[in-house]
mmCIF file of all heavy atoms in Angstrom:
data_model
loop_
_atom_site.group_PDB
_atom_site.id
_atom_site.type_symbol
_atom_site.label_atom_id
_atom_site.label_comp_id
_atom_site.label_asym_id
_atom_site.label_seq_id
_atom_site.Cartn_x
_atom_site.Cartn_y
_atom_site.Cartn_z
ATOM 1 N N VAL A 1 15.790 12.102 13.706
ATOM 2 C CA VAL A 1 14.640 12.527 14.506
ATOM 3 C C VAL A 1 14.275 11.386 15.451
ATOM 4 O O VAL A 1 14.649 10.224 15.239
ATOM 5 C CB VAL A 1 13.414 12.901 13.635
ATOM 6 C CG1 VAL A 1 13.722 14.085 12.744
ATOM 7 C CG2 VAL A 1 12.920 11.703 12.829
ATOM 8 N N GLU A 2 13.536 11.737 16.490
ATOM 9 C CA GLU A 2 13.055 10.752 17.461
ATOM 10 C C GLU A 2 11.540 10.723 17.411
ATOM 11 O O GLU A 2 10.895 11.752 17.227
ATOM 12 C CB GLU A 2 13.536 11.132 18.870
ATOM 13 C CG GLU A 2 13.194 10.127 19.965
ATOM 14 C CD GLU A 2 11.822 10.317 20.586
ATOM 15 O OE1 GLU A 2 11.180 11.365 20.320
ATOM 16 O OE2 GLU A 2 11.372 9.422 21.333
ATOM 17 N N THR A 3 10.981 9.537 17.566
ATOM 18 C CA THR A 3 9.537 9.418 17.671
ATOM 19 C C THR A 3 9.187 8.214 18.547
ATOM 20 O O THR A 3 10.025 7.349 18.803
ATOM 21 C CB THR A 3 8.864 9.254 16.293
ATOM 22 O OG1 THR A 3 7.437 9.345 16.443
ATOM 23 C CG2 THR A 3 9.194 7.909 15.662
ATOM 24 N N ASP A 4 7.961 8.186 19.005
ATOM 25 C CA ASP A 4 7.405 7.034 19.696
ATOM 26 C C ASP A 4 6.451 6.340 18.735
ATOM 27 O O ASP A 4 6.011 6.934 17.748
ATOM 28 C CB ASP A 4 6.645 7.484 20.943
ATOM 29 C CG ASP A 4 7.469 8.440 21.786
ATOM 30 O OD1 ASP A 4 8.270 7.962 22.599
ATOM 31 O OD2 ASP A 4 7.311 9.666 21.607
ATOM 32 N N VAL A 5 6.124 5.094 19.034
ATOM 33 C CA VAL A 5 5.188 4.395 18.161
ATOM 34 C C VAL A 5 4.158 3.646 18.992
ATOM 35 O O VAL A 5 4.477 2.979 19.977
ATOM 36 C CB VAL A 5 5.918 3.443 17.193
ATOM 37 C CG1 VAL A 5 6.631 2.328 17.936
ATOM 38 C CG2 VAL A 5 4.964 2.866 16.164
ATOM 39 N N HIS A 6 2.897 3.826 18.596
ATOM 40 C CA HIS A 6 1.766 3.028 19.069
ATOM 41 C C HIS A 6 1.125 2.386 17.847
ATOM 42 O O HIS A 6 1.525 2.656 16.697
ATOM 43 C CB HIS A 6 0.751 3.901 19.804
ATOM 44 C CG HIS A 6 1.162 4.283 21.188
ATOM 45 N ND1 HIS A 6 1.004 3.461 22.272
ATOM 46 C CD2 HIS A 6 1.723 5.424 21.673
ATOM 47 C CE1 HIS A 6 1.460 4.042 23.364
ATOM 48 N NE2 HIS A 6 1.896 5.248 23.032
ATOM 49 N N ALA A 7 0.127 1.566 18.071
ATOM 50 C CA ALA A 7 -0.585 0.939 16.952
ATOM 51 C C ALA A 7 -2.079 0.981 17.197
ATOM 52 O O ALA A 7 -2.554 0.847 18.327
ATOM 53 C CB ALA A 7 -0.128 -0.507 16.764
ATOM 54 N N THR A 8 -2.808 1.183 16.120
ATOM 55 C CA THR A 8 -4.263 1.212 16.190
ATOM 56 C C THR A 8 -4.822 -0.208 16.361
ATOM 57 O O THR A 8 -4.091 -1.195 16.260
ATOM 58 C CB THR A 8 -4.849 1.825 14.913
ATOM 59 O OG1 THR A 8 -4.501 0.985 13.797
ATOM 60 C CG2 THR A 8 -4.316 3.224 14.679
ATOM 61 N N ARG A 9 -6.107 -0.281 16.598
ATOM 62 C CA ARG A 9 -6.758 -1.579 16.806
ATOM 63 C C ARG A 9 -6.564 -2.496 15.602
ATOM 64 O O ARG A 9 -6.409 -3.714 15.747
ATOM 65 C CB ARG A 9 -8.250 -1.356 17.064
ATOM 66 C CG ARG A 9 -9.015 -2.617 17.420
ATOM 67 C CD ARG A 9 -10.468 -2.281 17.700
ATOM 68 N NE ARG A 9 -11.183 -1.895 16.476
ATOM 69 C CZ ARG A 9 -12.332 -1.209 16.453
ATOM 70 N NH1 ARG A 9 -12.874 -0.806 17.604
ATOM 71 N NH2 ARG A 9 -12.909 -0.913 15.307
ATOM 72 N N ASP A 10 -6.552 -1.883 14.394
ATOM 73 C CA ASP A 10 -6.407 -2.679 13.181
ATOM 74 C C ASP A 10 -4.967 -2.739 12.680
ATOM 75 O O ASP A 10 -4.709 -3.047 11.515
ATOM 76 C CB ASP A 10 -7.356 -2.180 12.081
ATOM 77 C CG ASP A 10 -7.358 -0.669 11.929
ATOM 78 O OD1 ASP A 10 -6.729 0.021 12.748
ATOM 79 O OD2 ASP A 10 -7.988 -0.176 10.979
ATOM 80 N N GLY A 11 -3.990 -2.429 13.567
ATOM 81 C CA GLY A 11 -2.597 -2.725 13.274
ATOM 82 C C GLY A 11 -1.847 -1.710 12.452
ATOM 83 O O GLY A 11 -0.871 -2.057 11.786
ATOM 84 N N VAL A 12 -2.241 -0.444 12.513
ATOM 85 C CA VAL A 12 -1.492 0.607 11.831
ATOM 86 C C VAL A 12 -0.550 1.269 12.836
ATOM 87 O O VAL A 12 -0.994 1.781 13.878
ATOM 88 C CB VAL A 12 -2.437 1.661 11.219
ATOM 89 C CG1 VAL A 12 -1.640 2.805 10.595
ATOM 90 C CG2 VAL A 12 -3.340 1.012 10.177
ATOM 91 N N ALA A 13 0.745 1.263 12.551
ATOM 92 C CA ALA A 13 1.731 1.901 13.423
ATOM 93 C C ALA A 13 1.686 3.405 13.217
ATOM 94 O O ALA A 13 1.756 3.891 12.086
ATOM 95 C CB ALA A 13 3.126 1.370 13.118
ATOM 96 N N VAL A 14 1.564 4.151 14.326
ATOM 97 C CA VAL A 14 1.495 5.604 14.246
ATOM 98 C C VAL A 14 2.622 6.225 15.063
ATOM 99 O O VAL A 14 3.013 5.696 16.109
ATOM 100 C CB VAL A 14 0.127 6.143 14.736
ATOM 101 C CG1 VAL A 14 -0.976 5.713 13.790
ATOM 102 C CG2 VAL A 14 -0.184 5.688 16.152
ATOM 103 N N ALA A 15 3.153 7.324 14.546
ATOM 104 C CA ALA A 15 4.208 8.073 15.241
ATOM 105 C C ALA A 15 3.532 8.989 16.252
ATOM 106 O O ALA A 15 3.110 10.094 15.925
ATOM 107 C CB ALA A 15 5.041 8.875 14.234
ATOM 108 N N PHE A 16 3.443 8.525 17.491
ATOM 109 C CA PHE A 16 2.660 9.236 18.503
ATOM 110 C C PHE A 16 3.176 8.823 19.866
ATOM 111 O O PHE A 16 3.496 7.651 20.091
ATOM 112 C CB PHE A 16 1.177 8.862 18.357
ATOM 113 C CG PHE A 16 0.216 9.866 18.893
ATOM 114 C CD1 PHE A 16 -0.074 11.014 18.191
ATOM 115 C CD2 PHE A 16 -0.423 9.654 20.112
ATOM 116 C CE1 PHE A 16 -0.987 11.948 18.683
ATOM 117 C CE2 PHE A 16 -1.338 10.566 20.609
ATOM 118 C CZ PHE A 16 -1.619 11.727 19.898
ATOM 119 N N HIS A 17 3.251 9.765 20.807
ATOM 120 C CA HIS A 17 3.830 9.465 22.112
ATOM 121 C C HIS A 17 2.831 8.834 23.070
ATOM 122 O O HIS A 17 3.096 7.798 23.686
ATOM 123 C CB HIS A 17 4.396 10.733 22.746
ATOM 124 C CG HIS A 17 4.873 10.532 24.153
ATOM 125 N ND1 HIS A 17 4.065 10.716 25.261
ATOM 126 C CD2 HIS A 17 6.067 10.139 24.627
ATOM 127 C CE1 HIS A 17 4.746 10.441 26.355
ATOM 128 N NE2 HIS A 17 5.964 10.086 26.008
ATOM 129 N N ASP A 18 1.678 9.450 23.258
ATOM 130 C CA ASP A 18 0.728 9.021 24.280
ATOM 131 C C ASP A 18 -0.029 7.773 23.840
ATOM 132 O O ASP A 18 -0.163 7.497 22.644
ATOM 133 C CB ASP A 18 -0.281 10.126 24.567
ATOM 134 C CG ASP A 18 0.367 11.386 25.130
ATOM 135 O OD1 ASP A 18 1.606 11.412 25.274
ATOM 136 O OD2 ASP A 18 -0.386 12.342 25.409
ATOM 137 N N ASP A 19 -0.570 7.056 24.819
ATOM 138 C CA ASP A 19 -1.403 5.915 24.454
ATOM 139 C C ASP A 19 -2.835 6.335 24.135
ATOM 140 O O ASP A 19 -3.618 5.532 23.623
ATOM 141 C CB ASP A 19 -1.391 4.840 25.544
ATOM 142 C CG ASP A 19 -1.916 5.336 26.881
ATOM 143 O OD1 ASP A 19 -2.176 6.549 27.038
ATOM 144 O OD2 ASP A 19 -2.069 4.502 27.797
ATOM 145 N N THR A 20 -3.169 7.597 24.424
ATOM 146 C CA THR A 20 -4.484 8.128 24.053
ATOM 147 C C THR A 20 -4.306 9.372 23.191
ATOM 148 O O THR A 20 -3.251 10.010 23.192
ATOM 149 C CB THR A 20 -5.326 8.507 25.284
ATOM 150 O OG1 THR A 20 -4.799 9.709 25.873
ATOM 151 C CG2 THR A 20 -5.335 7.385 26.313
ATOM 152 N N LEU A 21 -5.382 9.727 22.495
ATOM 153 C CA LEU A 21 -5.358 10.928 21.655
ATOM 154 C C LEU A 21 -5.597 12.204 22.448
ATOM 155 O O LEU A 21 -5.360 13.312 21.948
ATOM 156 C CB LEU A 21 -6.447 10.821 20.576
ATOM 157 C CG LEU A 21 -6.280 9.726 19.523
ATOM 158 C CD1 LEU A 21 -7.551 9.627 18.692
ATOM 159 C CD2 LEU A 21 -5.080 10.023 18.632
ATOM 160 N N ASP A 22 -6.044 12.078 23.692
ATOM 161 C CA ASP A 22 -6.649 13.193 24.410
ATOM 162 C C ASP A 22 -5.731 14.392 24.646
ATOM 163 O O ASP A 22 -6.176 15.543 24.505
ATOM 164 C CB ASP A 22 -7.180 12.704 25.764
ATOM 165 C CG ASP A 22 -8.213 11.592 25.617
ATOM 166 O OD1 ASP A 22 -7.874 10.540 25.028
ATOM 167 O OD2 ASP A 22 -9.345 11.760 26.081
ATOM 168 N N ARG A 23 -4.472 14.175 25.023
ATOM 169 C CA ARG A 23 -3.630 15.294 25.473
ATOM 170 C C ARG A 23 -3.285 16.263 24.351
ATOM 171 O O ARG A 23 -3.343 17.487 24.540
ATOM 172 C CB ARG A 23 -2.339 14.772 26.112
ATOM 173 C CG ARG A 23 -1.388 15.901 26.580
ATOM 174 C CD ARG A 23 -0.130 15.348 27.227
ATOM 175 N NE ARG A 23 0.703 14.624 26.283
ATOM 176 C CZ ARG A 23 1.663 15.195 25.551
ATOM 177 N NH1 ARG A 23 1.880 16.496 25.624
ATOM 178 N NH2 ARG A 23 2.386 14.464 24.718
ATOM 179 N N VAL A 24 -2.922 15.767 23.192
ATOM 180 C CA VAL A 24 -2.373 16.662 22.174
ATOM 181 C C VAL A 24 -3.258 16.817 20.943
ATOM 182 O O VAL A 24 -2.912 17.589 20.047
ATOM 183 C CB VAL A 24 -0.961 16.198 21.723
ATOM 184 C CG1 VAL A 24 0.001 16.200 22.887
ATOM 185 C CG2 VAL A 24 -1.005 14.835 21.057
ATOM 186 N N SER A 25 -4.384 16.110 20.894
ATOM 187 C CA SER A 25 -5.213 16.212 19.696
ATOM 188 C C SER A 25 -6.659 16.532 20.067
ATOM 189 O O SER A 25 -7.039 16.542 21.240
ATOM 190 C CB SER A 25 -5.160 14.904 18.894
ATOM 191 O OG SER A 25 -6.113 13.972 19.363
ATOM 192 N N ASP A 26 -7.459 16.738 19.042
ATOM 193 C CA ASP A 26 -8.884 16.980 19.279
ATOM 194 C C ASP A 26 -9.685 15.683 19.308
ATOM 195 O O ASP A 26 -10.915 15.702 19.414
ATOM 196 C CB ASP A 26 -9.457 17.928 18.214
ATOM 197 C CG ASP A 26 -9.242 17.430 16.787
ATOM 198 O OD1 ASP A 26 -8.806 16.262 16.614
ATOM 199 O OD2 ASP A 26 -9.499 18.195 15.841
#
């Protein structure tokens, strides 16, 4: 599988493409 990775302010790596939550989440 393919995924992108960003990290939260407190250093948790998340499998997520965008740098913001806005496009695909609530």
